[in-house]
Amino acid sequence: MLLRSLADRIRAVSYNSLSPAAIESAKDGILDTLRCVTLAGAKEDTTAVVTRALRGTAASGPGLIFGDTERVDVLSAALINGVASHALDFDDCSNTLGGHPSAPILPALWAIAANHDGKAFIEAYVAGVECECKLARAVNFHHYEKGWHPTATLGTFGSAAACGHLMGLSAQQIATALALAASMACGIKANFGTMTKPFHVGQSARNGLLAAMLAKEGMTANHDALEHKQGFFAVYNGAGTFFPERILTEWGNPYELAEHGIAFKRHPCCGSTHSAADAMLHLLERQELAPERVNKIESWTHPRRLAHTNRPNPVSGLDGKFSIQYVLARALMHGVVSLNHFTDAAVSEPDARSIMAKVDASPDPNAGESDDHFYARVRVTTTTGDTFEHFVDRPLGRDRAHPLPSGALQTKFRDCARLALHDDCVEILVKTLHDLDRISEMADVVEVIRGSARTSGNVAQLDKSRRALHR
């Protein structure tokens, strides 16, 4: 059965088998996602709603709510932190997955990491990313275009695989966890632009962890849950739209984190808007394009990207993250796209609305079916009739051939983490995560995160956690 063969490969992932490129990408992914969880994402309204809803049901336990000092049961921690990791839509991406690979996995791993070392944490993360991305090779892009949110549907499998690996489950148990995940995978793109999108991710983290816990305790599930005539492939995709042979033949050849790697966001909004934003920023660097001198902005992107970003009238900050018109307007106005541009008030500002009205976003008439669908062409026409145009094949940070500027990821972490952490502890965390494979007790790292939170009366805890990390 496919799930049993997949489970064998998940269980076999080891730190020593990973290439330097895979380890480097894993550390970067952990750093970037922790930033998303511990900084403003933990303080967003979306996260607050979920936390309030769970107040009456969450039990005390070992799971830290990041950005705070409170501990709850591991399932509630995975859910809350999973929501926080995606609340800003600033977390990493994967071309293969068609979504965000780390956010459904790492919040679940952090919830159960305490008694493990850094190498075990890294290899479990790699196993989870490999699982969800190789499943994506079997079902995309039909899965994505049909309306499923792959971060949520496939991320549930990634979370189950990662948690099963870290928990030391047998291959039989991991196969059961994945079969359970097939019944708990959910998330539809109709809810993009609302609080429900990050809630998808929290559910994926929680459900994957729950699947692994149930499998450990003896729950049963059909190991034919992928290929069955009423299984995941047939129900979620449909006949003739999936290719299960790709999962095993491409497993670890190379690991997804090694090639193509994962994409790190430069802008805190939907990745499908990033190439257009980069094109506008490129034009601003070379031309004097004051907003009042612009008469028209034209944008052409792949129909697959435009389907959920053609939003000329966003009604909220979250909706604005998925509006190519709004993102282009902010890029032109400020020469940067920032977190503070995605509030409800900012989206309603008359100056931004005036520029958005000048944007004509169209699908590229020459678009094909290849994987190269993250491009954008932007043309700006001034009030004097001059035109300036730029093409971006992929945005910065999207892959190894288009890296973020040197040090940008660390700067992004520092800038965002300071919203939730004590300033003097941000640097400790940057160094700690860079040296994660040398950490003998992940509990010490969690204590640093807990002791770093910007909460009152936390100075003593901060000093204690620093000492634990360096003992």
Side-chain angles (χ1 to χ4, degrees):
M1 291 182 181
L2 178 56
L3 281 183
R4 182 55 191 268
S5 297
L6 182 57
D8 287 335
R9 286 161 173 76
I10 290 167
R11 195 168 186 272
V13 175
S14 68
Y15 180 87
N16 291 335
S17 70
L18 301 177
S19 68
I23 293 171
E24 178 186 5
S25 287
K27 290 180 180 180
D28 285 345
I30 292 166
L31 173 72
D32 193 61
T33 307
L34 180 58
R35 166 204 55 84
C36 290
V37 175
T38 56
L39 53 83
K43 307 299 180 183
E44 286 290 290
D45 290 344
T46 304
T47 313
V49 168
V50 175
T51 304
R52 288 197 304 269
L54 292 179
R55 287 291 180 202
T57 59
S60 60
L64 176 68
I65 297 178
F66 286 127
D68 204 333
T69 59
E70 184 178 359
R71 290 183 181 274
V72 293
D73 64 276
V74 294
L75 293 176
S76 295
L79 175 55
I80 293 169
N81 292 335
V83 171
S85 71
H86 196 55
L88 297 171
D89 217 309
F90 208 4
D91 46 313
D92 61 32
C93 303
S94 164
N95 297 342
T96 302
L97 182 65
H100 305 261
S102 299
I105 293 173
L106 287 169
L109 286 182
W110 282 112
I112 59 172
N115 296 324
H116 301 275
D117 63 25
K119 288 182 178 179
F121 191 89
I122 289 172
E123 63 188 23
Y125 168 58
V126 172
V129 172
E130 188 71 2
C131 176
E132 65 190 7
C133 287
K134 291 305 187 279
L135 280 170
R137 290 181 182 271
V139 300
N140 274 339
F141 282 101
H142 182 83
H143 189 79
Y144 181 91
E145 293 182 332
K146 189 173 183 179
W148 294 112
H149 181 194
T151 306
T153 54
L154 305 180
T156 304
F157 291 94
S159 175
C163 292
H165 189 289
L166 191 64
M167 292 165 60
L169 299 188
S170 67
Q172 178 80 6
Q173 290 170 325
I174 291 175
T176 297
L178 295 173
L180 286 163
S183 282
M184 293 192 284
C186 57
I188 54 173
K189 283 163 50 178
N191 273 315
F192 280 17
T194 74
M195 290 182 178
T196 300
K197 184 173 187 267
F199 177 69
H200 288 172
V201 180
Q203 279 285 84
S204 297
R206 177 196 179 276
N207 286 349
L209 174 55
L210 178 58
M213 294 169 66
L214 289 170
K216 182 180 179 180
E217 295 302 321
M219 178 68 81
T220 63
N222 184 2
H223 289 186
D224 194 31
L226 294 182
E227 316 101 301
H228 191 278
K229 64 180 181 180
Q230 292 181 320
F232 183 83
F233 291 147
V235 173
Y236 281 63
N237 267 52
T241 65
F242 55 89
F243 308 92
E245 66 276 5
R246 293 176 179 174
I247 298 173
L248 300 182
T249 58
E250 298 185 21
W251 179 274
N253 187 31
Y255 280 109
E256 201 71 32
L257 282 169
E259 183 62 43
H260 304 284
I262 50 179
F264 298 107
K265 284 191 170 185
R266 182 185 183 189
H267 314 297
C269 49
C270 177
S272 296
T273 68
H274 284 205
S275 290
D278 282 2
M280 178 63 78
L281 295 178
H282 176 91
L283 291 174
L284 287 175
E285 289 174 0
R286 287 155 178 79
Q287 309 293 335
E288 292 185 11
L289 294 175
E292 62 272 14
R293 292 186 57 238
V294 172
N295 184 57
K296 186 177 183 180
I297 302 168
E298 297 169 275
S299 169
W300 292 270
T301 53
H302 195 286
R304 187 179 291 144
R305 302 290 114 205
L306 190 61
H308 54 275
T309 59
N310 187 15
R311 303 185 184 212
N313 185 35
V315 297
S316 67
L318 285 171
D319 203 20
K321 288 178 178 285
F322 292 85
S323 168
I324 197 167
Q325 292 89 348
Y326 181 69
V327 171
L328 281 168
R330 285 299 181 184
L332 173 63
M333 293 170 69
H334 309 284
V336 67
V337 182
S338 301
L339 285 169
N340 59 8
H341 294 154
F342 297 101
T343 65
D344 293 351
V347 167
S348 300
E349 288 177 6
D351 287 349
R353 289 279 168 176
S354 176
I355 296 174
M356 287 167 60
K358 301 177 182 181
V359 178
D360 179 10
S362 301
D364 176 17
N366 300 314
E369 292 299 320
S370 73
D371 289 349
D372 294 324
H373 50 89
F374 287 97
Y375 60 84
R377 181 161 55 96
V378 172
R379 179 189 297 156
V380 175
T381 303
T382 68
T383 53
T384 58
D386 295 322
T387 61
F388 305 97
E389 184 174 314
H390 186 64
F391 175 82
V392 169
D393 59 345
R394 287 192 179 187
L396 293 180
R398 191 74 210 184
D399 55 30
R400 294 185 183 279
H402 302 78
L404 290 174
S406 178
L409 197 61
Q410 290 74 18
T411 299
K412 177 180 170 183
F413 180 91
R414 292 182 180 98
D415 290 346
C416 294
R418 288 190 175 102
L419 299 176
L421 307 181
H422 285 290
D423 290 348
D424 52 356
C425 215
V426 172
E427 297 304 320
I428 294 175
L429 276 175
V430 170
K431 184 179 186 304
T432 298
L433 295 175
H434 182 267
D435 297 331
L436 190 62
D437 43 1
R438 301 179 185 177
I439 298 296
S440 59
E441 290 284 344
M442 289 297 292
D444 294 341
V445 183
V446 175
E447 281 304 308
V448 169
I449 298 168
R450 181 171 182 258
S452 305
R454 287 187 179 276
T455 56
S456 60
N458 207 25
V459 176
Q461 176 61 39
L462 176 58
D463 289 339
K464 179 182 177 182
S465 58
R466 282 172 174 165
R467 291 194 297 273
L469 186 63
H470 292 94
R471 65 189 176 200

